Amino acid sequence: MVAFEGQRILPAAKSMKQFEAIIEGPYTYGVMLETHIAQLQSMMDQARRYGKKILLHADLVQGLKNDEYAAEYLCQHIRPAGLISTRASIIQKAKQKGITAIQRVFLLDTHALEKSYQLVAKTQPDYIEVLPGVIPHIIAEVSERTGIPIIAGGLIRTPEEVELALGVGAAAVTTSNDDLIKYLGKTLTL
Protein backbone atom coordinates (compact mmCIF):
# COMPACT_ATOMS: atom_id res chain seq x y z
CA MET A 1 0.00 0.00 0.00
CA VAL A 2 1.39 3.39 -1.00
CA ALA A 3 0.56 5.95 1.67
CA PHE A 4 -1.25 9.09 0.54
CA GLU A 5 -0.88 8.20 -3.15
CA GLY A 6 2.89 8.49 -2.81
CA GLN A 7 2.83 11.97 -1.27
CA ARG A 8 5.57 12.03 1.38
CA ILE A 9 5.01 15.56 2.72
CA LEU A 10 1.71 16.44 4.39
CA PRO A 11 1.46 20.22 4.74
CA ALA A 12 -0.41 21.19 7.89
CA ALA A 13 -2.53 24.31 8.32
CA LYS A 14 -3.08 26.17 11.57
CA SER A 15 -4.89 29.09 9.92
CA MET A 16 -7.19 29.87 7.00
CA LYS A 17 -4.26 31.47 5.17
CA GLN A 18 -2.26 28.23 5.42
CA PHE A 19 -5.34 26.19 4.44
CA GLU A 20 -5.82 28.30 1.31
CA ALA A 21 -2.14 27.89 0.41
CA ILE A 22 -2.52 24.11 0.72
CA ILE A 23 -5.58 23.87 -1.50
CA GLU A 24 -4.02 26.15 -4.11
CA GLY A 25 -0.66 24.37 -3.93
CA PRO A 26 0.79 21.22 -5.51
CA TYR A 27 -0.10 18.80 -2.70
CA THR A 28 -3.17 16.52 -2.92
CA TYR A 29 -3.26 15.73 0.80
CA GLY A 30 -3.14 18.28 3.59
CA VAL A 31 -3.75 18.41 7.32
CA MET A 32 -6.07 20.85 9.07
CA LEU A 33 -4.83 21.29 12.61
CA GLU A 34 -6.94 24.07 14.08
CA THR A 35 -10.32 25.32 12.97
CA HIS A 36 -13.77 26.24 14.21
CA ILE A 37 -16.78 23.99 13.75
CA ALA A 38 -18.60 26.74 11.82
CA GLN A 39 -15.85 26.74 9.15
CA LEU A 40 -15.60 23.01 8.59
CA GLN A 41 -18.23 22.40 5.94
CA SER A 42 -17.21 25.32 3.73
CA MET A 43 -13.55 24.37 4.07
CA MET A 44 -14.18 20.76 3.05
CA ASP A 45 -16.37 21.88 0.15
CA GLN A 46 -13.62 24.22 -1.02
CA ALA A 47 -10.99 21.50 -0.69
CA ARG A 48 -13.11 19.11 -2.76
CA ARG A 49 -13.54 21.73 -5.50
CA TYR A 50 -9.75 21.86 -5.75
CA GLY A 51 -9.46 18.06 -5.68
CA LYS A 52 -7.75 18.07 -2.28
CA LYS A 53 -8.02 15.48 0.48
CA ILE A 54 -7.95 16.87 4.00
CA LEU A 55 -6.90 14.99 7.12
CA LEU A 56 -8.66 16.69 10.01
CA HIS A 57 -7.28 16.82 13.53
CA ALA A 58 -10.49 16.07 15.43
CA ASP A 59 -9.08 17.10 18.82
CA LEU A 60 -8.42 20.65 17.59
CA VAL A 61 -11.85 21.56 16.19
CA GLN A 62 -13.03 24.46 18.35
CA GLY A 63 -16.66 24.21 19.41
CA LEU A 64 -16.74 20.42 19.11
CA LYS A 65 -16.14 18.03 21.97
CA ASN A 66 -13.58 15.39 21.06
CA ASP A 67 -15.56 12.20 21.69
CA GLU A 68 -17.10 9.42 19.61
CA TYR A 69 -20.24 11.51 18.90
CA ALA A 70 -18.12 14.29 17.46
CA ALA A 71 -16.23 11.70 15.41
CA GLU A 72 -19.50 10.30 14.09
CA TYR A 73 -20.63 13.81 13.08
CA LEU A 74 -17.30 14.49 11.37
CA CYS A 75 -17.36 11.17 9.50
CA GLN A 76 -20.98 11.40 8.37
CA HIS A 77 -21.38 15.11 7.64
CA ILE A 78 -17.95 16.66 7.10
CA ARG A 79 -16.37 13.56 5.51
CA PRO A 80 -12.65 14.39 5.63
CA ALA A 81 -10.14 12.02 4.02
CA GLY A 82 -9.01 11.11 7.51
CA LEU A 83 -9.26 11.90 11.20
CA ILE A 84 -6.26 12.48 13.45
CA SER A 85 -6.69 12.12 17.20
CA THR A 86 -4.99 11.17 20.43
CA ARG A 87 -8.26 9.61 21.62
CA ALA A 88 -9.04 5.92 21.12
CA SER A 89 -12.80 6.48 20.76
CA ILE A 90 -12.30 8.83 17.81
CA ILE A 91 -9.90 6.46 16.07
CA GLN A 92 -12.28 3.54 16.54
CA LYS A 93 -15.26 5.54 15.21
CA ALA A 94 -13.27 6.67 12.16
CA LYS A 95 -12.32 3.08 11.38
CA GLN A 96 -15.93 1.97 11.86
CA LYS A 97 -17.10 4.64 9.38
CA GLY A 98 -14.43 3.84 6.79
CA ILE A 99 -12.43 7.05 7.30
CA THR A 100 -8.62 6.88 7.48
CA ALA A 101 -7.72 6.77 11.17
CA ILE A 102 -4.48 8.37 12.36
CA GLN A 103 -3.53 7.82 16.00
CA ARG A 104 -1.40 10.72 17.23
CA VAL A 105 1.07 9.83 19.98
CA PHE A 106 3.41 12.07 21.94
CA LEU A 107 6.65 10.34 22.84
CA LEU A 108 7.80 12.18 25.91
CA ASP A 109 9.65 9.34 27.64
CA THR A 110 9.84 5.53 27.87
CA HIS A 111 6.60 5.36 29.88
CA ALA A 112 4.73 7.37 27.22
CA LEU A 113 6.18 5.13 24.51
CA GLU A 114 4.96 1.97 26.26
CA LYS A 115 1.50 3.52 26.85
CA SER A 116 1.40 4.44 23.16
CA TYR A 117 2.08 0.82 22.18
CA GLN A 118 -0.84 -0.27 24.37
CA LEU A 119 -3.11 2.36 22.82
CA VAL A 120 -2.14 1.42 19.27
CA ALA A 121 -2.70 -2.28 20.01
CA LYS A 122 -6.22 -1.37 21.14
CA THR A 123 -7.15 1.01 18.29
CA GLN A 124 -5.25 -0.54 15.36
CA PRO A 125 -5.17 2.76 13.42
CA ASP A 126 -4.34 3.02 9.73
CA TYR A 127 -1.38 5.28 10.59
CA ILE A 128 0.47 6.43 13.69
CA GLU A 129 1.62 10.04 13.85
CA VAL A 130 4.72 10.17 16.06
CA LEU A 131 5.55 13.45 17.76
CA PRO A 132 8.21 14.71 17.91
CA GLY A 133 9.22 13.42 14.52
CA VAL A 134 12.90 14.22 14.90
CA ILE A 135 13.89 11.02 16.72
CA PRO A 136 14.89 8.66 13.89
CA HIS A 137 15.60 5.54 15.95
CA ILE A 138 12.19 5.81 17.65
CA ILE A 139 10.40 6.18 14.29
CA ALA A 140 12.11 2.99 13.13
CA GLU A 141 11.30 1.20 16.41
CA VAL A 142 7.60 2.14 16.39
CA SER A 143 7.28 1.13 12.75
CA GLU A 144 8.96 -2.21 13.34
CA ARG A 145 7.13 -3.02 16.57
CA THR A 146 3.63 -2.10 15.37
CA GLY A 147 3.77 -2.86 11.66
CA ILE A 148 1.65 0.28 11.11
CA PRO A 149 2.86 3.06 8.78
CA ILE A 150 4.34 6.03 10.62
CA ILE A 151 3.84 9.73 10.01
CA ALA A 152 6.55 11.89 11.59
CA GLY A 153 5.46 15.28 12.88
CA GLY A 154 6.47 18.00 15.26
CA LEU A 155 9.74 19.91 15.51
CA ILE A 156 10.79 19.02 11.97
CA ARG A 157 12.39 22.22 10.71
CA THR A 158 14.82 21.39 7.93
CA PRO A 159 14.85 19.43 4.67
CA GLU A 160 17.54 17.22 6.21
CA GLU A 161 15.24 16.30 9.12
CA VAL A 162 12.48 15.46 6.62
CA GLU A 163 14.84 13.23 4.63
CA LEU A 164 16.10 11.56 7.82
CA ALA A 165 12.55 10.73 9.01
CA LEU A 166 11.63 9.36 5.60
CA GLY A 167 14.92 7.47 5.40
CA VAL A 168 14.28 5.52 8.62
CA GLY A 169 10.84 4.41 7.50
CA ALA A 170 8.29 7.19 7.99
CA ALA A 171 5.62 6.92 5.31
CA ALA A 172 5.15 10.70 5.41
CA VAL A 173 6.08 13.83 7.33
CA THR A 174 3.69 16.55 8.52
CA THR A 175 4.84 20.14 8.81
CA SER A 176 3.21 23.53 9.24
CA ASN A 177 6.46 25.36 8.45
CA ASP A 178 5.55 27.49 5.40
CA ASP A 179 9.13 27.78 4.14
CA LEU A 180 9.67 24.04 4.43
CA ILE A 181 6.36 23.29 2.67
CA LYS A 182 7.28 25.60 -0.23
CA TYR A 183 10.82 24.27 -0.48
CA LEU A 184 9.75 20.64 -0.41
CA GLY A 185 6.94 21.29 -2.89
CA LYS A 186 9.60 22.36 -5.38
CA THR A 187 12.24 19.75 -4.65
CA LEU A 188 10.54 16.47 -3.79
CA THR A 189 8.52 14.31 -6.10
CA LEU A 190 4.92 14.46 -5.02
Side-chain angles (χ1 to χ4, degrees), residues 1-4 100-103 125-129 148-151 171:
M1 174 179 91
V2 175
F4 309 108
T100 299
I102 303 169
Q103 180 77 60
D126 299 304
Y127 297 91
I128 302 167
E129 184 181 26
I148 298 171
I150 304 299
I151 301 169

Side-chain angles (χ1 to χ4, degrees), residues 74-190:
L74 292 171
C75 293
Q76 289 181 349
H77 298 284
I78 304 301
R79 297 178 317 281
L83 286 181
I84 303 168
S85 181
T86 59
R87 302 176 63 73
S89 62
I90 291 177
I91 297 305
Q92 291 167 329
K93 185 59 73 173
K95 287 186 63 87
Q96 178 187 7
K97 297 292 183 180
I99 300 285
T100 299
I102 303 169
Q103 180 77 60
R104 187 179 240 201
V105 296
F106 293 96
L107 304 180
L108 306 172
D109 56 21
T110 302
H111 179 72
L113 178 60
E114 290 304 320
K115 287 288 188 188
S116 295
Y117 286 136
Q118 292 170 13
L119 178 64
V120 166
K122 176 181 175 183
T123 61
Q124 289 296 302
D126 299 304
Y127 297 91
I128 302 167
E129 184 181 26
V130 173
L131 286 95
V134 291
I135 311 173
H137 67 282
I138 297 297
I139 292 170
E141 177 187 319
V142 173
S143 177
E144 184 177 309
R145 185 160 166 186
T146 65
I148 298 171
I150 304 299
I151 301 169
L155 300 177
I156 295 175
R157 297 180 177 149
T158 68
E160 294 78 21
E161 290 170 338
V162 169
E163 291 296 340
L164 187 56
L166 295 172
V168 297
V173 172
T174 59
T175 182
S176 60
N177 180 306
D178 291 330
D179 292 334
L180 194 53
I181 291 167
K182 288 175 192 168
Y183 173 79
L184 294 169
K186 294 177 184 172
T187 62
L188 291 179
T189 303
L190 302 174

